[in-house]
Amino acid sequence: MHYLDHAATTPIPEAVAEEMCRVLREEFGNPNSQYSIGRRTRDLVAQARRTVAGALGCEAEQLSFTSCGTESDNWAIEAALWQNRHVGRHIITTAVEHNAILEPCRWLEQEGYEVTRLRPGQDGSITVEQVEEALRPDTALVSIMMVNNETGNVYPIHDIARMLQEKKSAALFHTDAVQGFLKVPFQARELGADMISVSAHKIGGPKGIGALYLGPKIRNPRPLLPGGGQEGGRRSGTEATAQIAGFAKAVELRMDHLADKLERMAQLRDYAVEQLTAIPDLVVVGRSDAPHILAVSLPGWPSQNIVNDLDQAGVFVSAGSACHQGKPSHVVAAMGLPKKVSAGVIRLSFGPETTREDIDAAAQALRQHHDTRFPML
Ligand code: PLP
């Protein structure tokens, strides 16, 4: 099997699965209970929070666990709009965000909010100047992702934060770093974003657990889930202890020699570009600034057919984002590429386990597809 879809989700290292099973079997106590087995799980959650916060570069108290990246994104939007309800009802985001941002924005429009969706260049880029031009006195929220999940473009988050500060904008700044966390080095305390979303299953952790960083500008956020007062009263619900432990273990494993891992992934990406662009007609789509995501297109060959043929060859890649399989990707559509190019886009994404053999297998299967199937568009 050649798994090249780490941006969709990652395999779980044995040590993560073992830690989760240990917690399920041996540490079943409720972290909110006052007796010793409750205290033990409480300590476990506290330690896990310190581990994830340490990797993110923030204080443990600034990090709330959520059920996924999608929840973190939804919460960030809600928290910002609540805090800035007297500032206005204008939101700036991009046309290439994940649906976890775009869908809440669509709903908010129906409630009277105004949403500016910045359009990318043909290479998928979004600039600070675009954000600056769109900024208004009534802008309550700016939400720009750190790494695009389909093209691997890295957006200038630090520069946007600085611009917002220089302009003395009241807007709160959120970044969806689900594809950036432990892929593109950053420290929350230096980045300048007020809120940062992350998710465990993109870095070797389990599905169903994410986190949201709430920086110093977010004062008394309205609780996402009012209830028993967990997560500092901000998001109630008994903590998902095994998921949290798995998240922390995955972070610990990734942090070990992280720079080497990222360097290896970047080398693999470059090797993949070299191998794949040797296939006639094939073009690279977007900038692939991040070390782990590479989008390419066989113009005229429908991407779903490519994915199916590669699947038969034991090579797993995605046609655009795995979150909306089957439908044309809004990201590629927003880039304004020729129809033939956008219809043939596939995404390869890598993890620390990926090898050159995986890339070779993908290149071989793609070449076979190109040589034996006819373009349909
Ligand atoms: N944001 C981005 C950029 C993503 O790539 C994803 C998942 O693909 C999400 C948000 C959603 O994360 P989750 O699957 O944890 O809800």
Side-chain angles (χ1 to χ4, degrees):
M1 171 173 102
H2 301 283
Y3 184 72
L4 292 168
D5 205 10
H6 289 250
T9 197
T10 48
I12 304 236
E14 194 53 37
V16 172
E18 263 173 28
E19 176 60 4
M20 290 181 71
C21 290
R22 185 192 72 76
V23 171
L24 284 172
R25 290 201 183 96
E26 297 171 20
E27 304 288 357
F28 69 90
N30 186 324
N32 307 291
S33 299
Q34 296 311 310
Y35 39 78
S36 56
I37 61 167
R39 280 200 300 277
R40 275 217 318 260
T41 27
R42 189 150 66 243
D43 290 349
L44 183 146
V45 170
Q47 180 53 46
R49 196 184 309 277
R50 283 195 290 275
T51 301
V52 180
L56 204 57
C58 68
E59 304 306 316
E61 304 75 52
Q62 296 175 313
L63 194 78
S64 298
F65 288 116
T66 61
S67 70
C68 56
T70 300
E71 183 183 315
S72 302
D73 284 349
N74 275 262
W75 186 9
I77 293 173
E78 198 177 309
L81 296 183
W82 168 256
Q83 180 165 316
N84 268 352
R85 60 195 178 283
H86 305 302
V87 171
R89 290 163 79 83
H90 177 232
I91 301 168
I92 299 174
T93 186
T94 76
V96 294
E97 297 297 307
H98 191 272
N99 278 331
I101 293 291
L102 292 179
E103 277 299 297
C105 284
R106 202 172 59 78
W107 280 99
L108 285 162
E109 274 177 324
Q110 296 179 32
E111 292 170 23
Y113 285 85
E114 213 183 316
V115 181
T116 301
R117 296 171 183 81
L118 304 176
R119 298 195 76 75
Q122 280 215 335
D123 66 350
S125 58
I126 296 281
T127 64
V128 187
E129 290 72 29
Q130 283 178 282
V131 183
E132 190 173 344
E133 265 171 40
L135 201 61
R136 305 191 326 207
D138 65 337
T139 306
L141 166 69
V142 175
S143 181
I144 313 272
M145 69 201 319
M146 183 176 286
V147 174
N148 186 273
N149 49 303
E150 296 195 32
T151 58
N153 279 47
V154 175
Y155 296 132
I157 301 305
H158 188 59
D159 295 345
I160 294 169
R162 207 170 36 207
M163 180 275 292
L164 291 172
Q165 205 178 0
E166 280 168 12
K167 294 257 155 206
K168 299 193 173 25
S169 168
L172 290 163
F173 183 29
H174 166 249
T175 185
D176 171 344
V178 167
Q179 297 291 349
F181 183 44
L182 303 187
K183 311 282 173 48
V184 174
F186 70 90
Q187 292 280 292
R189 62 175 70 85
E190 290 162 13
L191 190 65
D194 301 309
M195 297 164 288
I196 304 173
S197 304
V198 297
S199 178
H201 76 106
K202 311 293 186 181
I203 56 145
K207 294 161 193 60
I209 183 81
L212 180 67
Y213 158 81
L214 294 168
K217 272 212 245 161
I218 311 294
R219 300 175 304 273
N220 300 321
R222 188 164 89 160
L224 177 72
L225 300 174
Q230 290 89 349
E231 298 298 315
R234 295 179 296 216
R235 182 198 183 268
S236 295
T238 304
E239 296 84 345
T241 47
Q243 316 291 104
I244 289 171
F247 191 178
K249 180 53 87 178
V251 165
E252 218 177 281
L253 293 179
R254 278 285 163 117
M255 289 291 284
D256 185 33
H257 292 92
L258 179 63
D260 295 343
K261 288 183 178 123
L262 296 179
E263 176 60 28
R264 256 200 74 241
M265 279 192 244
Q267 282 170 5
L268 275 176
R269 176 204 53 206
D270 296 345
Y271 178 68
V273 170
E274 210 180 281
Q275 297 303 305
L276 298 179
T277 50
I279 298 169
D281 302 310
L282 187 138
V283 291
V284 172
V285 172
R287 294 168 47 96
S288 301
D289 306 308
H292 66 301
I293 297 178
L294 172 64
V296 297
S297 170
L298 271 182
W301 281 262
S303 55
Q304 196 55 52
N305 295 355
I306 305 176
V307 169
N308 293 346
D309 266 10
L310 264 60
D311 184 358
Q312 293 296 311
V315 177
F316 302 104
V317 300
S318 88
S321 162
C323 302
H324 44 252
Q325 285 276 358
K327 285 191 250 160
S329 148
H330 66 274
V331 174
V332 176
M335 288 162 69
L337 298 169
K339 200 166 165 235
K340 272 184 167 187
V341 175
S342 50
V345 175
I346 59 162
R347 176 188 70 186
L348 291 80
S349 51
F350 319 121
E353 306 89 349
T354 309
T355 62
R356 279 188 169 222
E357 287 69 45
D358 295 323
I359 309 286
D360 292 341
Q364 196 185 342
L366 254 176
R367 182 179 282 275
Q368 171 94 1
H369 184 84
H370 173 273
D371 293 349
T372 56
R373 307 276 182 186
F374 292 106
M376 292 171 70
L377 295 167

